[in-house]
Amino acid sequence: MMSVLYLTNYDSAGHVEELESKVGRFQVILGKLPSTSDKWLLSSALQKSIRRGHIETAVSVATKLLEIDPAYLPRRLPIIAAEDVGIGGLEVCHDVFDMCGSSKWWRTGAAQTVAFLVSSLAAATKCRAACDALCLAAVQQDANQLLPRLLAQPSDGLIGVAADRQRPWLERALALRVLGGISERNGGTYRVLSKCNVPALKLVGAELAMPPLVLALMAKQARSGGLAAFLPLAVEAAGESRRVALGSACPDSDQLFEGLPLCGVDMFSELGRSALREFFLSPNIRRFTAQHCWARSPVRMLNMAMFHVESSNLDRYLCSDGLSRLTAETETQELLQLGLSSAERRQELYALLRSEAEALAQIRIFRLRASHHQLDGVKGSYGGLS
């Protein structure tokens, strides 16, 4: 399968005309709209449905989100594109960024725009390598020592570091992060550590001979949730021997309840967090964490493991040895930082969580049903926490 990664003769003007025609002819496939109006539950469900390639569910969830908050999807969809599709579908990402940045697509016919974009994202080949690179750079042990030094460097120095393939990977990743802009939460506000430097990012991309669509997305870094700056590292990890592989879902996670996929009931909503806390009271899970987790509370580590096992699953994704190594190292370092005792226990934990998936599905359905009927103070299979 040919990837648009090497599409070098991209005709922007001609593509806009073609895009207008495609959107106008697009036939919306709409299933049952979710009954919930919980924005964060819907947002999580949308992203999981896109990752799994469930077009009808994704469009239905997005349509409900559009009804609740019309301004949300033009901000959120570019981040989903950069995080989950990336170099697996560069042209799709480009369309999402352009259409979400132009009000003409949203003044009238917003529902058609949403259905087209969400369907395109769900149908695309996926690649989470840019997100993996950002996350791995954040959890590496040496990052806290390297980052202040890079923050003090002028842009020319940062460009030199990021564009030098002979430099250590972490140093290059952090240089890209600084050039992409960094803000940190400080109480109820954000403090800017570095501003997004688009000209510098474009110079890095040019030095590294990135394809035109990668350069175009890097120029839109400010709308990508910090991810577009890491696309060069994703391209490098993919290499020339990339292929498309098919993913597999976690058992029971794709069931629908009132139009909502159970996998969307995860750590990114309060209802999901409460369901997971109850699930983690399983005797087998508690036994594992007692033996193999050094953190005082294992909940954050288990939440992350569930994300790896279930929430980040992709239906069809770009694969290479370099991409596989990047994902494995990212997942390992994230779990070690949050309390897993050793890297060797990662796959054992994943297998345990998959084996208990039926119980999690039951807890989620119970809590969704309780929420649907506005019941309070209920308990599920393990006498869970509310």
Side-chain angles (χ1 to χ4, degrees), residues 364-380:
R364 283 168 163 166
I365 291 171
F366 182 85
R367 287 187 173 269
L368 283 169
R369 186 176 291 122
S371 174
H372 185 65
H373 294 291
Q374 296 183 333
L375 299 178
D376 295 317
V378 293
K379 294 186 179 181

Side-chain angles (χ1 to χ4, degrees), residues 23 41 47 59 118 125 137 155 223 225 232 280 294 353 383:
V23 175
L41 199 57
Q47 193 156 0
V59 172
V118 168
T125 298
S155 59
R223 305 192 65 231
F280 297 153
W294 53 260
L353 294 174

Side-chain angles (χ1 to χ4, degrees), residues 22-30 112 115 119:
K22 283 183 178 179
V23 175
R25 298 194 314 268
F26 183 74
Q27 296 295 312
V28 178
I29 303 173
L30 194 63
Q112 184 82 358
S119 297

Side-chain angles (χ1 to χ4, degrees), residues 30 33-34 36-37 60-71 73:
L30 194 63
L33 294 190
T36 183
S37 295
S60 300
V61 173
T63 300
K64 186 62 176 282
L65 266 171
L66 184 65
E67 292 178 359
I68 293 170
D69 185 354
L73 287 174

